[in-house]
Amino acid sequence: MRFWIFLLILIVTGCAPKPDPNVQIQVAVLQTLAAMPTATAQPPPMPLPTTTPLDLNGLFCEYRFCVGHPADMAFFDVSAQKNPAAPSTYSQGIIAAFNANLFIQMIWQIAPGTADPQFMLDLILDDVDTRVGTLDVKLVRGMNVIYTPITSTATLVLPVGAAGAWICGERAFAWKVYSPQADNTQALFEQALERFRCSP
């Protein structure tokens, strides 16, 4: 019986139509092409970092202005410290920085059409501050700038200082420092003003 089954299978397979070799070649080529890995897409070009045109060490930039300060100090927003819901803005604000030997404060506000910054100097000086000497008035990079040495009873460790004010664009700025010695206050003011920039 096995012989007959084997013979039947042999006859059936022998009589079966032979596949077309061209079709077999086409199928093999298509399968080979489908199995080939595709090229990995090139990643988009990454922009190279550019150098910053300014040395950021000892530079505070926020509220659309920049001002210099000693590198070992950092300004913080006094308005936000007092009331987190009402931080400083472009229109008005107050920032401060301090360490064991210095206290620096800066204020600003909108003052369109104003050319004399005297009112800002009066605003930044507290009841504990006293002007010493004469008021120094000068033009710095197109800004009207006033400067005065001061003494202060705010703290016994920082009894002297200086204050200055200026106009830039539509805003008026004032700056004040308390220090243990009078000989560095003008240099601190010049450092602040030298790096000062404002945007309208």
Side-chain angles (χ1 to χ4, degrees):
M1 180 80 171
R2 286 187 190 174
F3 173 75
W4 295 110
I5 293 175
F6 177 71
L7 186 60
L8 183 62
I9 291 174
L10 189 60
I11 292 173
V12 169
T13 55
C15 294
K18 300 285 183 217
D20 186 359
N22 290 331
V23 171
Q24 284 181 321
I25 291 171
Q26 288 176 355
V27 167
V29 168
L30 288 175
Q31 288 174 338
T32 303
L33 290 176
M36 287 179 65
T38 57
T40 305
Q42 276 296 93
M46 293 295 289
L48 295 174
T50 58
T51 58
T52 304
L54 299 171
D55 178 14
L56 300 179
N57 192 25
L59 184 67
F60 172 86
C61 289
E62 189 65 51
Y63 312 109
R64 292 172 56 189
F65 72 85
C66 293
V67 66
H69 60 83
D72 63 339
M73 301 175 74
F75 278 110
F76 63 92
D77 187 341
V78 175
S79 299
Q81 292 290 321
K82 289 181 180 178
N83 182 0
S88 295
T89 63
Y90 169 86
S91 302
Q92 66 180 17
I94 179 171
I95 57 176
F98 66 91
N99 62 23
N101 298 316
L102 290 175
F103 172 81
I104 300 175
Q105 183 181 46
M106 189 167 171
I107 61 174
W108 66 93
Q109 68 181 38
I110 295 286
T114 305
D116 184 3
Q118 177 69 45
F119 75 100
M120 287 300 283
L121 190 63
D122 296 337
L123 191 60
I124 201 164
L125 295 176
D126 293 321
D127 295 338
V128 295
D129 301 328
T130 306
R131 290 187 203 182
V132 178
T134 60
L135 198 60
D136 184 14
V137 181
K138 56 186 166 187
L139 190 64
V140 178
R141 294 191 323 273
M143 299 181 296
N144 292 328
V145 177
I146 55 176
Y147 169 85
T148 184
I150 62 172
T151 59
S152 178
T153 57
T155 172
L156 296 176
V157 235
L158 307 172
V160 294
W166 61 94
I167 304 291
C168 185
E170 64 177 354
R171 292 187 287 178
F173 295 86
W175 176 96
K176 172 172 70 174
V177 65
Y178 295 147
S179 173
Q181 62 219 22
D183 60 349
N184 69 343
T185 57
Q186 183 156 5
L188 288 166
F189 181 67
E190 288 171 1
Q191 174 189 24
L193 207 55
E194 179 183 322
R195 301 188 74 189
F196 180 82
R197 303 290 182 273
C198 76
S199 302

